Amino acid sequence: MTLRHLLEIDDLSAEELKAVLDASEAPPQEVLHKRGVALIFEKPSLRSRNSCEMAVVALGGHPVHITSSEISLDVRESVEDAIRTFNGYYSVFAARVYEHSKLERMIRVAQRPVINLLSDDGHPVQALADLLTIRQSLGSLAGITIGWVGDFSNVARSLALGAVSLGASFRFAGPSAYAPRTEDIERVMARAQGGATMSVHAKPFDAIDGANVVTTDSWYSMGQEDQKEIRRRAMEGCTVDSRMMSIAAKNAIFLHCLPAHRGEEVTSEVLDGPQSRIWQQAHNRMHTFRGLLLWLHGQGSIT
């Protein structure tokens, strides 16, 4: 068995990434017939749980939603002991955790593929949905520019890694305290194909000017509520509004991974406007998770 995991987008080569996106648009096949998929959630989620469960069902499998109250990783028992137990039950482990290190510990003992449904370092399954939505809307990622405004979050990091892999340039704009680190930029640029670049700007309009895709994320995530007011003050001027969208490319689309704080990182006018693709993007979470599972099965990782 060739065991493959997805903890971050750069676990996939550019060609493998394209193959996953292609599989996401392929007809479902019941490759998970009579197989179980463990969906481990330390953090609750609307899109992750529902999209993953329905993707597994479409492939003929049985999803099992496991909450922190049921498993309590490193409280009731260690990450390693839980995964050793699950090795005998499930064909895939997908986990939404706080610390990325828990995923790294999982793969040391896992005999099945481990998929990152979100960690403090990355959100690769969201990036897959973003990339598919861009490809469906614009035809290709090669040669386009993505403008990100706000915080270089785990979502931004995964999207940047995926975007440059497929030839799209990534521009970031936001306060310096929330900007990508040197090692982030180096990691992204190590993946760059077809002349793609990554650049960092202090002013949002510099990142958005002429961009084909405008995107952002909430300024504070689950577990960061104590930083809410600090982040709101720091992000002043980073709200994506119709004025900001007006300087993007004529065919520009708007993306947001959701949930959105309307009036903070983005206005309702943009979220609900004609350039918004947020619902297509949300629905693609299901299609790309299904595509990822199909691809893993084709690699011999799911048995």
Side-chain angles (χ1 to χ4, degrees):
M1 179 177 71
T2 305
L3 188 59
R4 297 291 301 271
H5 307 287
L6 182 68
L7 300 196
E8 184 51 288
I9 282 292
D10 52 3
D11 287 334
L12 300 171
S13 69
E15 288 305 312
E16 289 172 337
L17 179 53
K18 291 176 186 175
V20 171
L21 297 182
D22 290 343
S24 303
E25 296 186 297
Q29 306 168 40
E30 293 204 346
V31 299
L32 295 180
H33 181 60
K34 293 188 177 180
R35 292 182 174 89
V37 175
L39 303 176
I40 303 165
F41 282 76
E42 284 195 324
K43 303 168 103 173
S45 171
L46 186 158
R47 276 151 295 278
S48 290
R49 177 180 178 179
N50 287 277
S51 63
C52 292
E53 286 198 14
M54 294 311 299
V56 173
V57 168
L59 299 179
H62 180 69
V64 178
H65 177 241
I66 305 164
T67 67
S68 58
S69 63
E70 296 166 313
I71 190 170
S72 298
L73 294 172
D74 286 339
V75 178
R76 291 179 62 189
E77 56 189 311
S78 69
V79 169
E80 290 82 1
D81 285 354
I83 295 302
R84 288 186 181 105
T85 300
F86 287 166
N87 278 332
Y89 302 155
Y90 299 108
S91 294
V92 180
F93 310 134
R96 183 177 172 92
V97 299
Y98 286 96
E99 301 91 356
H100 192 80
S101 59
K102 286 182 179 175
L103 296 168
E104 294 171 332
R105 289 165 58 197
M106 285 180 187
I107 66 173
R108 293 187 191 119
V109 297
Q111 296 171 6
R112 305 288 184 263
V114 176
I115 299 170
N116 178 7
L117 294 183
L118 179 139
S119 71
D120 51 9
D121 280 6
H123 200 349
V125 294
Q126 179 64 55
L128 291 174
D130 298 350
L131 296 169
L132 182 62
T133 305
I134 295 168
R135 194 173 80 168
Q136 290 172 338
S137 299
L138 302 179
S140 173
L141 280 100
I144 71 164
T145 298
I146 298 170
W148 179 285
V149 179
D151 172 25
F152 191 72
S153 63
N154 48 2
V155 179
R157 182 179 294 106
S158 295
L159 178 57
L161 286 165
V164 301
S165 301
L166 300 179
S169 292
F170 187 91
R171 298 182 194 154
F172 168 86
S176 58
Y178 302 96
R181 302 163 298 177
T182 300
E183 53 264 42
D184 290 318
I185 297 170
E186 291 174 348
R187 182 176 179 181
V188 170
M189 287 308 300
R191 296 275 299 182
Q193 300 285 330
T197 61
M198 179 178 183
S199 56
V200 178
H201 306 267
K203 298 179 180 179
F205 282 83
D206 292 337
I208 299 307
D209 188 18
N212 306 98
V213 180
V214 179
T215 184
T216 187
D217 190 3
S218 58
W219 294 336
Y220 46 90
S221 302
M222 198 178 301
Q224 297 177 329
E225 289 81 3
D226 59 333
Q227 302 175 38
K228 183 185 300 185
E229 293 307 319
I230 295 172
R231 285 173 171 260
R232 279 175 173 166
R233 288 193 295 270
M235 299 291 173
E236 186 175 351
C238 290
T239 301
V240 178
D241 55 18
S242 56
R243 179 167 170 260
M244 199 177 289
M245 290 298 299
S246 71
I247 68 165
K250 188 176 180 180
N251 69 337
I253 62 172
F254 174 78
L255 299 180
H256 191 304
C257 63
L258 301 176
H261 298 98
R262 291 171 180 258
E264 291 188 4
E265 73 273 10
V266 59
T267 63
S268 290
E269 184 180 14
V270 172
L271 278 171
D272 301 327
Q275 293 170 287
S276 176
R277 298 293 184 275
I278 60 172
W279 306 122
Q280 179 182 350
Q281 180 186 8
H283 299 158
N284 276 337
R285 284 289 306 276
M286 178 179 68
H287 300 308
T288 49
F289 192 69
R290 187 183 70 238
L292 176 61
L293 293 173
L294 278 170
W295 180 82
L296 285 168
H297 180 268
Q299 295 296 303
S301 290
I302 300 176
T303 59

